[in-house]
Amino acid sequence: MEKDVVILTGNEAIALGAHEAGVGFASAYPGTPSTEILENIARSGNIYCQWSTNEKVALEVASGASLAGRRAIVAMKHVGLNVASDPFMTLAYTGVNGGLVIISADDPGMHSSQNEQDNRYYAKMAKVPLLEPSDSQECKDFIVKAFEISEEYDTPVLLRTTTRISHSGSVVKKSKARNQETARTYSKDSMKYVMIPAFARNRHKILLEKFEKLKEFSDKTDINKIVNLKDKKSFCKIGIISSGACFQYASEAFKDYPILKLGMTNPLPFGLIEDFVSDKSLIIVVEELEPFLEEQIRASFLNCKVIGKSFLPGYGELNVEILKSLNKFIASENILEFIHEHTLKDLENKIKKFKEKNSYISGNKEKNDIKDSVKKTIPPRPPVLCAGCTHRPVFHILKKLKVMVMGDIGCYTLSVLPPLDSLDSCLCMGAGVGQALGIEKANDNYKNKVVSVIGDSTFFHSGITSLIDNVFNRGTGLVIILDNRVTAMTGHQTNPGIGSTLMGEDTHMILPEEIVKAVGVKNIRIVDPYDVDLLERTIKEELNRKELSVIICRQECALINQKQILREFYIDESVCKKCGMCIRIGCPAIGYENDKYFINQAICTSCGVCSQICPWDSIKANEENNL
Amino acid sequence: MKRITYNSPDKYKAVSDAILKETGTISVLFAGVGGQGILLATGIMARACLFEGFDVKVSEVHGMAQRGGSVVGSIRFGEKVFSPTIDFADFIIALEESEPLRYVDNLKKDSVLIYNTYRIYPTTVYGGSCNYPGNIREMLLKFTSDVFPVDAYKIARQQGKSKAMNVVLLGFFSNFLPISTDSWENAIKDIVSPTILEINLNAFKAGRNLINNF
């Protein structure tokens, strides 16, 4: 076996691609499924890289690096591009100096996201070239290609992956790396980079001209190609068009039809598509989520009969089985003959009837009594706040106080699940702090009855501006900053409050309380959430105050706080009244079996929260200094 | 069609030979609980497949699901693999006793099911809102006759590391696959850190030898 052949996930391959493309700068804000891109770039050690405060800043910093002549890469999850969309849209006007590539890691099926928006539309809206790799090898190769396009056409390039690309491993062949030292020189060019209206009008025209040239490029590039041709002369009346992960599903399900595989999906290669569809009676467009390709193909080739979202679901992930059923439909219903004599509308009605008979196509599994009865016996195993999680006592108290809890994105979002049942809202990063103000302003009944919670990293990401809005507009609510000293959810990345950078350098530790004080909040309390009584008293006091207050709950995430365990908790059965209060804080280390409550020593972190919550003082500690 | 015929010398490996001949790709689903080492198991197996000269794809899910929830990973290998994800599995390898029940939709009549008899109670059972299922083997036998319960916990403990249950199961599973012992060992050496390499190599061998009990 060759030494330079390895198995890499899409994210690892993108990092390798950055190395091979001679990238000199990388920035990101962590977000599943994109996080490992920067972590792997950092591991290689020879590219400057940084976690930024949020995605907008990450893109702005990278565009600065590009301006200075370096090849720069920025990674984010799909909703991160919403945050970065402001610089993104205008970067299409200014163009770049050193190549600039933006990775958008979309999450169809929402494995770890609040929506499943299809970011290919961003490329179309901004008129920015879009590449969609379909496996790890292409992740690496397309990064190199993306930088060539970026510099040749003076434009940022969007590379879009999906979870199944980012987190799937496949075989990659390494190549030689390009020299990083070939940075371009910067020369002042205000008409290109200063987007005042007079200059921007001209840049918009230039953008349109660039886009026409990119259309020609899309037609001739080898990353758009026809595959699966058994032999060149063979002629098939049915053709498939697909991109990204869906290309793999299509290749497996449609073995007999040629596939137009699109590596570049904005602008589309309309010439190539025209050649492909001209001799076909039926075109099947295979794509997840939105009909991004389908709508453009339909609009450009009006005579072309297309099956796409009329058969495939517009939500969630695709899979081979759904496509096999489409294949079966085409074969069994003699569709090729049917469309000769009928309209596309007739075909769509036929599809509708077929789908009604086969409900599994719409994502509903076929009914199977034996399987259903077995599935009923399985206890759910939802993700939970870890044993010793520092957020648990906060949500236990908020539930007890029966207040509205406006949250956002982080581990603490899990507090919405039983038994904590805490959150009233989770919209986007930082949203809770603003929402709480709106609630208070709209309805006096909620005054002193609404709390917003936000993590430390999220506070830096997008909580500061909404906190200022609270101060500015005379809010009287309570904001709780859950400061567990790390960006926990995505796997423990550093943030501005930690005091160290992605590259491991020491840096100034920005404490949230300094910011809170600086923007004019008068009531600031800092509490260790493991001190449950103090925490409860503090929350009650600040909730009843007629002024805005901020409580900072500071305790290191239980997963990194591996301090030596000096005490071991147990439940004293002679005292336990079996009220079940300890179970209702939802700690995975507390169990109930054979009419007995117990503590699982293997995972207990000795945080001591349960011992303070037990109304009978039956949870006791063995002080064992010799442990 | 039942693939295991229990009379050839290579009866277990014959299963995967037959699948490769029939479909060209073997699909394996790994199921377990966050923290049990599914990523390590799929990582080792993917390399073993690569060393053996197969095309291979792995799929895993990170993020929210890792916080103590059910975790699933998949591997597909063969001459040429397209989709990294699995709809129907040829093999299901479960690291926890009740977890295979969660994936009955991915089973076919001739799927081979290997599961660890080790239990991890979910918080829903501890909390008293659900019961841990009994008769797991009987329920699984409704879907496929090739069900192999393995006490990987006991074997891993004997090797000195209960966490090595994932590698014990890989060792047992290796009897079914057209992958040489050399490729497996090289893959383990490639991935496992040197300090725990010997324990893992022994756990793999002990798991492989368990086949003699069936």
Side-chain angles (χ1 to χ4, degrees), chain A residues 7 36 112 164 167-169 248-249 252 319 321 375 378-381 383-384 488 592, chain B residues 46 57-60 62 64 67 70 76 83 87 96 99 101-102 104-105 120 124 126:
Chain A
I7 297 171
E36 301 85 359
S112 202
R164 296 301 178 187
H167 286 168
S168 290
Q248 303 293 349
Y249 309 143
E252 191 158 333
N319 58 51
E321 284 309 304
K375 280 191 274 181
I378 319 165
R381 204 187 284 276
V384 288
Y592 177 71
Chain B
K57 284 190 178 170
V58 190
S59 187
E60 52 202 48
H62 303 213
M64 205 175 212
R67 299 274 177 267
S70 291
R76 307 186 74 210
S83 169
D87 301 301
E96 197 272 350
E99 285 303 306
L101 296 172
R102 224 177 280 285
V104 289
D105 282 331
I120 299 171
T124 47
Y126 275 163

mmCIF file of all heavy atoms in Angstrom, chain A residues 7 36 112 164 167-169 248-249 252 319 321 375 378-381 383-384 488 592, chain B residues 46 57-60 62 64 67 70 76 83 87 96 99 101-102 104-105 120 124 126:
data_model
loop_
_atom_site.group_PDB
_atom_site.id
_atom_site.type_symbol
_atom_site.label_atom_id
_atom_site.label_comp_id
_atom_site.label_asym_id
_atom_site.label_seq_id
_atom_site.Cartn_x
_atom_site.Cartn_y
_atom_site.Cartn_z
ATOM 1 N N ILE A 7 -6.879 7.580 5.324
ATOM 2 C CA ILE A 7 -8.321 7.797 5.487
ATOM 3 C C ILE A 7 -8.506 9.087 6.276
ATOM 4 O O ILE A 7 -7.979 9.226 7.384
ATOM 5 C CB ILE A 7 -8.981 6.634 6.238
ATOM 6 C CG1 ILE A 7 -8.843 5.343 5.431
ATOM 7 C CG2 ILE A 7 -10.460 6.922 6.500
ATOM 8 C CD1 ILE A 7 -9.274 4.119 6.183
ATOM 9 N N GLU A 36 -13.702 20.785 13.352
ATOM 10 C CA GLU A 36 -12.410 20.087 13.249
ATOM 11 C C GLU A 36 -11.522 20.640 12.137
ATOM 12 O O GLU A 36 -10.350 20.282 12.057
ATOM 13 C CB GLU A 36 -12.618 18.582 13.038
ATOM 14 C CG GLU A 36 -13.401 17.886 14.138
ATOM 15 C CD GLU A 36 -14.908 17.991 13.944
ATOM 16 O OE1 GLU A 36 -15.334 18.630 12.963
ATOM 17 O OE2 GLU A 36 -15.646 17.445 14.773
ATOM 18 N N SER A 112 -27.013 18.601 14.750
ATOM 19 C CA SER A 112 -26.565 19.447 15.857
ATOM 20 C C SER A 112 -26.780 20.922 15.504
ATOM 21 O O SER A 112 -25.861 21.724 15.595
ATOM 22 C CB SER A 112 -25.081 19.157 16.130
ATOM 23 O OG SER A 112 -24.738 19.540 17.438
ATOM 24 N N ARG A 164 -22.501 14.844 6.199
ATOM 25 C CA ARG A 164 -22.000 13.555 5.695
ATOM 26 C C ARG A 164 -20.703 13.677 4.924
ATOM 27 O O ARG A 164 -20.057 12.688 4.630
ATOM 28 C CB ARG A 164 -23.063 12.887 4.813
ATOM 29 C CG ARG A 164 -24.326 12.526 5.546
ATOM 30 C CD ARG A 164 -24.066 11.579 6.690
ATOM 31 N NE ARG A 164 -25.311 11.297 7.399
ATOM 32 C CZ ARG A 164 -25.378 10.601 8.517
ATOM 33 N NH1 ARG A 164 -24.282 10.117 9.070
ATOM 34 N NH2 ARG A 164 -26.533 10.389 9.103
ATOM 35 N N HIS A 167 -18.054 14.831 8.224
ATOM 36 C CA HIS A 167 -17.790 13.805 9.239
ATOM 37 C C HIS A 167 -17.711 12.396 8.686
ATOM 38 O O HIS A 167 -17.769 11.437 9.451
ATOM 39 C CB HIS A 167 -18.856 13.880 10.339
ATOM 40 C CG HIS A 167 -18.666 15.056 11.256
ATOM 41 N ND1 HIS A 167 -19.610 15.465 12.150
ATOM 42 C CD2 HIS A 167 -17.620 15.900 11.406
ATOM 43 C CE1 HIS A 167 -19.153 16.529 12.800
ATOM 44 N NE2 HIS A 167 -17.950 16.811 12.358
ATOM 45 N N SER A 168 -17.605 12.244 7.371
ATOM 46 C CA SER A 168 -17.394 10.902 6.826
ATOM 47 C C SER A 168 -15.930 10.761 6.452
ATOM 48 O O SER A 168 -15.327 11.693 5.930
ATOM 49 C CB SER A 168 -18.269 10.665 5.591
ATOM 50 O OG SER A 168 -19.605 10.565 5.985
ATOM 51 N N GLY A 169 -15.395 9.573 6.724
ATOM 52 C CA GLY A 169 -14.008 9.309 6.363
ATOM 53 C C GLY A 169 -13.939 8.549 5.054
ATOM 54 O O GLY A 169 -14.740 7.646 4.829
ATOM 55 N N GLN A 248 -23.071 10.642 -4.323
ATOM 56 C CA GLN A 248 -22.726 9.278 -3.896
ATOM 57 C C GLN A 248 -23.974 8.408 -3.809
ATOM 58 O O GLN A 248 -23.979 7.259 -4.243
ATOM 59 C CB GLN A 248 -22.019 9.304 -2.531
ATOM 60 C CG GLN A 248 -20.763 10.164 -2.466
ATOM 61 C CD GLN A 248 -19.626 9.621 -3.319
ATOM 62 O OE1 GLN A 248 -19.677 8.496 -3.817
ATOM 63 N NE2 GLN A 248 -18.596 10.437 -3.498
ATOM 64 N N TYR A 249 -25.044 8.971 -3.237
ATOM 65 C CA TYR A 249 -26.289 8.203 -3.135
ATOM 66 C C TYR A 249 -26.804 7.873 -4.536
ATOM 67 O O TYR A 249 -27.260 6.760 -4.798
ATOM 68 C CB TYR A 249 -27.364 8.983 -2.364
ATOM 69 C CG TYR A 249 -26.913 9.545 -1.021
ATOM 70 C CD1 TYR A 249 -27.345 10.786 -0.565
ATOM 71 C CD2 TYR A 249 -26.055 8.805 -0.192
ATOM 72 C CE1 TYR A 249 -26.935 11.302 0.656
ATOM 73 C CE2 TYR A 249 -25.648 9.315 1.033
ATOM 74 C CZ TYR A 249 -26.088 10.570 1.454
ATOM 75 O OH TYR A 249 -25.683 11.067 2.659
ATOM 76 N N GLU A 252 -24.980 5.096 -6.336
ATOM 77 C CA GLU A 252 -25.290 3.760 -5.850
ATOM 78 C C GLU A 252 -26.683 3.303 -6.303
ATOM 79 O O GLU A 252 -26.896 2.131 -6.597
ATOM 80 C CB GLU A 252 -25.199 3.749 -4.322
ATOM 81 C CG GLU A 252 -25.252 2.357 -3.743
ATOM 82 C CD GLU A 252 -24.649 2.282 -2.347
ATOM 83 O OE1 GLU A 252 -23.767 3.101 -2.005
ATOM 84 O OE2 GLU A 252 -25.075 1.396 -1.598
ATOM 85 N N ASN A 319 -31.078 9.424 1.182
ATOM 86 C CA ASN A 319 -30.345 8.173 1.324
ATOM 87 C C ASN A 319 -30.575 7.318 0.093
ATOM 88 O O ASN A 319 -31.409 7.642 -0.762
ATOM 89 C CB ASN A 319 -30.753 7.449 2.613
ATOM 90 C CG ASN A 319 -32.242 7.155 2.651
ATOM 91 O OD1 ASN A 319 -32.800 6.596 1.706
ATOM 92 N ND2 ASN A 319 -32.894 7.551 3.730
ATOM 93 N N GLU A 321 -31.914 4.400 -0.233
ATOM 94 C CA GLU A 321 -33.208 3.704 -0.320
ATOM 95 C C GLU A 321 -34.283 4.558 -0.996
ATOM 96 O O GLU A 321 -35.064 4.063 -1.798
ATOM 97 C CB GLU A 321 -33.676 3.272 1.080
ATOM 98 C CG GLU A 321 -32.945 2.073 1.629
ATOM 99 C CD GLU A 321 -32.893 0.880 0.662
ATOM 100 O OE1 GLU A 321 -33.964 0.421 0.221
ATOM 101 O OE2 GLU A 321 -31.777 0.430 0.339
ATOM 102 N N LYS A 375 -39.575 -1.688 19.151
ATOM 103 C CA LYS A 375 -39.085 -0.325 19.365
ATOM 104 C C LYS A 375 -39.711 0.322 20.593
ATOM 105 O O LYS A 375 -39.112 1.175 21.226
ATOM 106 C CB LYS A 375 -39.322 0.527 18.106
ATOM 107 C CG LYS A 375 -38.241 0.277 17.038
ATOM 108 C CD LYS A 375 -38.302 1.269 15.925
ATOM 109 C CE LYS A 375 -39.292 0.840 14.871
ATOM 110 N NZ LYS A 375 -39.364 1.756 13.746
ATOM 111 N N ILE A 378 -37.682 -0.021 23.871
ATOM 112 C CA ILE A 378 -36.364 0.595 24.057
ATOM 113 C C ILE A 378 -36.482 1.881 24.865
ATOM 114 O O ILE A 378 -37.205 2.786 24.476
ATOM 115 C CB ILE A 378 -35.694 0.962 22.711
ATOM 116 C CG1 ILE A 378 -35.935 -0.146 21.694
ATOM 117 C CG2 ILE A 378 -34.224 1.222 22.882
ATOM 118 C CD1 ILE A 378 -35.625 0.276 20.280
ATOM 119 N N PRO A 379 -35.781 1.963 25.987
ATOM 120 C CA PRO A 379 -35.804 3.230 26.734
ATOM 121 C C PRO A 379 -35.057 4.308 25.936
ATOM 122 O O PRO A 379 -33.977 4.030 25.427
ATOM 123 C CB PRO A 379 -35.045 2.902 28.021
ATOM 124 C CG PRO A 379 -34.228 1.695 27.703
ATOM 125 C CD PRO A 379 -34.914 0.960 26.602
ATOM 126 N N PRO A 380 -35.607 5.510 25.811
ATOM 127 C CA PRO A 380 -34.884 6.557 25.091
ATOM 128 C C PRO A 380 -33.547 6.852 25.777
ATOM 129 O O PRO A 380 -33.433 6.713 26.998
ATOM 130 C CB PRO A 380 -35.807 7.778 25.195
ATOM 131 C CG PRO A 380 -37.109 7.271 25.661
ATOM 132 C CD PRO A 380 -36.883 5.989 26.363
ATOM 133 N N ARG A 381 -32.556 7.225 24.987
ATOM 134 C CA ARG A 381 -31.258 7.558 25.557
ATOM 135 C C ARG A 381 -30.853 8.923 24.985
ATOM 136 O O ARG A 381 -30.011 9.035 24.106
ATOM 137 C CB ARG A 381 -30.233 6.486 25.174
ATOM 138 C CG ARG A 381 -29.038 6.373 26.103
ATOM 139 C CD ARG A 381 -28.007 5.426 25.551
ATOM 140 N NE ARG A 381 -28.310 4.017 25.679
ATOM 141 C CZ ARG A 381 -28.065 3.281 26.760
ATOM 142 N NH1 ARG A 381 -27.543 3.818 27.825
ATOM 143 N NH2 ARG A 381 -28.353 1.990 26.768
ATOM 144 N N PRO A 383 -29.286 12.790 24.687
ATOM 145 C CA PRO A 383 -28.092 13.434 25.240
ATOM 146 C C PRO A 383 -28.486 14.182 26.505
ATOM 147 O O PRO A 383 -29.580 14.735 26.585
ATOM 148 C CB PRO A 383 -27.661 14.400 24.144
ATOM 149 C CG PRO A 383 -28.859 14.602 23.281
ATOM 150 C CD PRO A 383 -29.688 13.360 23.403
ATOM 151 N N VAL A 384 -27.626 14.179 27.494
ATOM 152 C CA VAL A 384 -27.953 14.829 28.774
ATOM 153 C C VAL A 384 -26.809 15.732 29.216
ATOM 154 O O VAL A 384 -25.686 15.582 28.753
ATOM 155 C CB VAL A 384 -28.196 13.778 29.889
ATOM 156 C CG1 VAL A 384 -29.491 13.053 29.673
ATOM 157 C CG2 VAL A 384 -27.040 12.793 29.968
ATOM 158 N N ALA A 488 -17.754 24.786 25.354
ATOM 159 C CA ALA A 488 -17.852 23.367 25.719
ATOM 160 C C ALA A 488 -18.522 22.505 24.653
ATOM 161 O O ALA A 488 -18.028 21.446 24.285
ATOM 162 C CB ALA A 488 -18.599 23.234 27.039
ATOM 163 N N TYR A 592 -31.655 4.686 40.259
ATOM 164 C CA TYR A 592 -32.722 4.106 41.076
ATOM 165 C C TYR A 592 -32.926 2.679 40.612
ATOM 166 O O TYR A 592 -33.192 2.430 39.438
ATOM 167 C CB TYR A 592 -33.999 4.916 40.884
ATOM 168 C CG TYR A 592 -35.200 4.391 41.615
ATOM 169 C CD1 TYR A 592 -35.282 4.484 43.002
ATOM 170 C CD2 TYR A 592 -36.263 3.789 40.934
ATOM 171 C CE1 TYR A 592 -36.386 4.001 43.687
ATOM 172 C CE2 TYR A 592 -37.369 3.299 41.606
ATOM 173 C CZ TYR A 592 -37.429 3.406 42.990
ATOM 174 O OH TYR A 592 -38.523 2.917 43.658
ATOM 175 N N ALA B 46 -11.509 0.751 9.700
ATOM 176 C CA ALA B 46 -11.334 1.413 8.407
ATOM 177 C C ALA B 46 -9.898 1.245 7.918
ATOM 178 O O ALA B 46 -9.651 0.951 6.745
ATOM 179 C CB ALA B 46 -11.677 2.893 8.527
ATOM 180 N N LYS B 57 -15.356 3.603 3.379
ATOM 181 C CA LYS B 57 -15.910 4.871 3.859
ATOM 182 C C LYS B 57 -16.478 4.701 5.259
ATOM 183 O O LYS B 57 -17.074 3.665 5.573
ATOM 184 C CB LYS B 57 -16.999 5.376 2.908
ATOM 185 C CG LYS B 57 -16.409 5.984 1.641
ATOM 186 C CD LYS B 57 -17.410 6.707 0.802
ATOM 187 C CE LYS B 57 -16.705 7.304 -0.411
ATOM 188 N NZ LYS B 57 -17.638 7.827 -1.401
ATOM 189 N N VAL B 58 -16.292 5.718 6.066
ATOM 190 C CA VAL B 58 -16.753 5.690 7.456
ATOM 191 C C VAL B 58 -17.689 6.863 7.665
ATOM 192 O O VAL B 58 -17.458 7.946 7.119
ATOM 193 C CB VAL B 58 -15.566 5.874 8.431
ATOM 194 C CG1 VAL B 58 -15.986 5.600 9.851
ATOM 195 C CG2 VAL B 58 -14.406 5.001 8.029
ATOM 196 N N SER B 59 -18.728 6.686 8.448
ATOM 197 C CA SER B 59 -19.582 7.822 8.772
ATOM 198 C C SER B 59 -19.813 7.882 10.271
ATOM 199 O O SER B 59 -20.018 6.867 10.923
ATOM 200 C CB SER B 59 -20.921 7.699 8.046
ATOM 201 O OG SER B 59 -21.654 8.873 8.257
ATOM 202 N N GLU B 60 -19.748 9.072 10.801
ATOM 203 C CA GLU B 60 -19.919 9.232 12.246
ATOM 204 C C GLU B 60 -20.627 10.558 12.490
ATOM 205 O O GLU B 60 -20.667 11.415 11.614
ATOM 206 C CB GLU B 60 -18.553 9.212 12.933
ATOM 207 C CG GLU B 60 -17.571 10.187 12.311
ATOM 208 C CD GLU B 60 -16.108 9.846 12.584
ATOM 209 O OE1 GLU B 60 -15.707 8.689 12.404
ATOM 210 O OE2 GLU B 60 -15.389 10.760 12.977
ATOM 211 N N HIS B 62 -20.884 13.787 15.220
ATOM 212 C CA HIS B 62 -20.278 14.435 16.386
ATOM 213 C C HIS B 62 -21.290 15.403 17.011
ATOM 214 O O HIS B 62 -22.392 15.525 16.547
ATOM 215 C CB HIS B 62 -19.055 15.271 15.986
ATOM 216 C CG HIS B 62 -17.992 14.500 15.280
ATOM 217 N ND1 HIS B 62 -16.676 14.799 15.410
ATOM 218 C CD2 HIS B 62 -18.056 13.443 14.436
ATOM 219 C CE1 HIS B 62 -15.955 13.970 14.668
ATOM 220 N NE2 HIS B 62 -16.768 13.140 14.062
ATOM 221 N N MET B 64 -23.835 17.259 19.509
ATOM 222 C CA MET B 64 -24.812 17.111 20.575
ATOM 223 C C MET B 64 -24.994 15.646 21.006
ATOM 224 O O MET B 64 -25.160 15.353 22.171
ATOM 225 C CB MET B 64 -26.126 17.680 20.105
ATOM 226 C CG MET B 64 -27.015 18.132 21.238
ATOM 227 S SD MET B 64 -28.466 18.928 20.557
ATOM 228 C CE MET B 64 -28.786 20.122 21.812
ATOM 229 N N ARG B 67 -23.171 13.728 24.130
ATOM 230 C CA ARG B 67 -23.376 13.937 25.560
ATOM 231 C C ARG B 67 -24.194 12.807 26.192
ATOM 232 O O ARG B 67 -25.319 13.010 26.596
ATOM 233 C CB ARG B 67 -24.057 15.282 25.788
ATOM 234 C CG ARG B 67 -23.239 16.470 25.282
ATOM 235 C CD ARG B 67 -22.248 16.935 26.325
ATOM 236 N NE ARG B 67 -21.415 18.022 25.834
ATOM 237 C CZ ARG B 67 -20.234 17.852 25.262
ATOM 238 N NH1 ARG B 67 -19.729 16.641 25.086
ATOM 239 N NH2 ARG B 67 -19.536 18.879 24.853
ATOM 240 N N SER B 70 -27.260 7.915 22.632
ATOM 241 C CA SER B 70 -26.971 6.799 21.738
ATOM 242 C C SER B 70 -26.062 7.295 20.627
ATOM 243 O O SER B 70 -26.268 8.366 20.083
ATOM 244 C CB SER B 70 -28.259 6.286 21.088
ATOM 245 O OG SER B 70 -29.044 5.672 22.056
ATOM 246 N N ARG B 76 -18.412 1.097 5.462
ATOM 247 C CA ARG B 76 -18.724 0.302 4.270
ATOM 248 C C ARG B 76 -17.415 0.060 3.533
ATOM 249 O O ARG B 76 -16.599 0.968 3.395
ATOM 250 C CB ARG B 76 -19.710 1.049 3.372
ATOM 251 C CG ARG B 76 -20.964 1.494 4.123
ATOM 252 C CD ARG B 76 -21.975 2.087 3.174
ATOM 253 N NE ARG B 76 -22.610 1.039 2.379
ATOM 254 C CZ ARG B 76 -23.072 1.222 1.139
ATOM 255 N NH1 ARG B 76 -22.944 2.387 0.555
ATOM 256 N NH2 ARG B 76 -23.650 0.229 0.486
ATOM 257 N N SER B 83 -21.983 5.591 -1.164
ATOM 258 C CA SER B 83 -22.546 6.253 0.019
ATOM 259 C C SER B 83 -21.804 5.861 1.292
ATOM 260 O O SER B 83 -21.525 4.679 1.500
ATOM 261 C CB SER B 83 -24.019 5.874 0.156
ATOM 262 O OG SER B 83 -24.492 6.297 1.414
ATOM 263 N N ASP B 87 -28.385 2.134 4.911
ATOM 264 C CA ASP B 87 -29.822 1.954 5.114
ATOM 265 C C ASP B 87 -30.074 0.573 5.717
ATOM 266 O O ASP B 87 -30.736 0.440 6.728
ATOM 267 C CB ASP B 87 -30.557 2.121 3.789
ATOM 268 C CG ASP B 87 -30.300 3.494 3.188
ATOM 269 O OD1 ASP B 87 -30.628 4.486 3.851
ATOM 270 O OD2 ASP B 87 -29.727 3.580 2.086
ATOM 271 N N GLU B 96 -23.420 -2.254 23.525
ATOM 272 C CA GLU B 96 -24.250 -2.263 24.732
ATOM 273 C C GLU B 96 -25.467 -3.127 24.430
ATOM 274 O O GLU B 96 -25.922 -3.181 23.286
ATOM 275 C CB GLU B 96 -24.646 -0.820 25.072
ATOM 276 C CG GLU B 96 -25.147 -0.605 26.473
ATOM 277 C CD GLU B 96 -26.642 -0.825 26.646
ATOM 278 O OE1 GLU B 96 -27.355 -0.979 25.615
ATOM 279 O OE2 GLU B 96 -27.109 -0.877 27.779
ATOM 280 N N GLU B 99 -28.863 -1.547 22.875
ATOM 281 C CA GLU B 99 -28.732 -0.651 21.719
ATOM 282 C C GLU B 99 -29.104 -1.277 20.374
ATOM 283 O O GLU B 99 -29.652 -0.589 19.515
ATOM 284 C CB GLU B 99 -27.325 -0.036 21.666
ATOM 285 C CG GLU B 99 -27.086 1.067 22.694
ATOM 286 C CD GLU B 99 -28.084 2.224 22.586
ATOM 287 O OE1 GLU B 99 -28.225 2.785 21.506
ATOM 288 O OE2 GLU B 99 -28.731 2.536 23.601
ATOM 289 N N LEU B 101 -31.525 -3.007 19.605
ATOM 290 C CA LEU B 101 -32.986 -2.913 19.418
ATOM 291 C C LEU B 101 -33.373 -1.612 18.728
ATOM 292 O O LEU B 101 -34.381 -1.524 18.049
ATOM 293 C CB LEU B 101 -33.704 -2.998 20.773
ATOM 294 C CG LEU B 101 -33.555 -4.305 21.549
ATOM 295 C CD1 LEU B 101 -34.158 -4.155 22.939
ATOM 296 C CD2 LEU B 101 -34.226 -5.447 20.802
ATOM 297 N N ARG B 102 -32.548 -0.604 18.933
ATOM 298 C CA ARG B 102 -32.824 0.712 18.360
ATOM 299 C C ARG B 102 -32.691 0.710 16.841
ATOM 300 O O ARG B 102 -33.181 1.601 16.166
ATOM 301 C CB ARG B 102 -31.830 1.723 18.953
ATOM 302 C CG ARG B 102 -32.433 3.027 19.375
ATOM 303 C CD ARG B 102 -31.380 3.927 20.004
ATOM 304 N NE ARG B 102 -31.085 3.611 21.391
ATOM 305 C CZ ARG B 102 -31.892 3.922 22.409
ATOM 306 N NH1 ARG B 102 -33.007 4.552 22.190
ATOM 307 N NH2 ARG B 102 -31.565 3.597 23.639
ATOM 308 N N VAL B 104 -33.448 -1.898 14.594
ATOM 309 C CA VAL B 104 -34.107 -3.011 13.891
ATOM 310 C C VAL B 104 -34.550 -2.601 12.485
ATOM 311 O O VAL B 104 -34.657 -3.453 11.601
ATOM 312 C CB VAL B 104 -35.306 -3.587 14.686
ATOM 313 C CG1 VAL B 104 -34.808 -4.350 15.902
ATOM 314 C CG2 VAL B 104 -36.273 -2.496 15.086
ATOM 315 N N ASP B 105 -34.772 -1.294 12.279
ATOM 316 C CA ASP B 105 -35.133 -0.836 10.931
ATOM 317 C C ASP B 105 -33.980 -1.026 9.943
ATOM 318 O O ASP B 105 -34.198 -1.026 8.735
ATOM 319 C CB ASP B 105 -35.524 0.645 10.947
ATOM 320 C CG ASP B 105 -36.935 0.841 11.481
ATOM 321 O OD1 ASP B 105 -37.752 -0.086 11.305
ATOM 322 O OD2 ASP B 105 -37.207 1.902 12.059
ATOM 323 N N ILE B 120 -25.582 -0.447 30.005
ATOM 324 C CA ILE B 120 -25.454 0.911 30.557
ATOM 325 C C ILE B 120 -26.875 1.458 30.660
ATOM 326 O O ILE B 120 -27.544 1.637 29.639
ATOM 327 C CB ILE B 120 -24.595 1.814 29.647
ATOM 328 C CG1 ILE B 120 -23.173 1.242 29.510
ATOM 329 C CG2 ILE B 120 -24.534 3.240 30.196
ATOM 330 C CD1 ILE B 120 -22.326 1.952 28.466
ATOM 331 N N THR B 124 -33.283 7.650 31.576
ATOM 332 C CA THR B 124 -34.735 7.443 31.585
ATOM 333 C C THR B 124 -35.114 6.209 32.407
ATOM 334 O O THR B 124 -36.205 6.127 32.943
ATOM 335 C CB THR B 124 -35.255 7.284 30.146
ATOM 336 O OG1 THR B 124 -34.422 6.362 29.453
ATOM 337 C CG2 THR B 124 -35.289 8.599 29.413
ATOM 338 N N TYR B 126 -33.003 5.023 35.016
ATOM 339 C CA TYR B 126 -32.676 5.454 36.384
ATOM 340 C C TYR B 126 -33.790 6.330 36.948
ATOM 341 O O TYR B 126 -34.164 6.230 38.093
ATOM 342 C CB TYR B 126 -31.374 6.268 36.374
ATOM 343 C CG TYR B 126 -30.126 5.434 36.448
ATOM 344 C CD1 TYR B 126 -28.899 5.975 36.107
ATOM 345 C CD2 TYR B 126 -30.168 4.111 36.890
ATOM 346 C CE1 TYR B 126 -27.731 5.235 36.188
ATOM 347 C CE2 TYR B 126 -29.014 3.361 36.969
ATOM 348 C CZ TYR B 126 -27.801 3.917 36.622
ATOM 349 O OH TYR B 126 -26.661 3.202 36.707
#
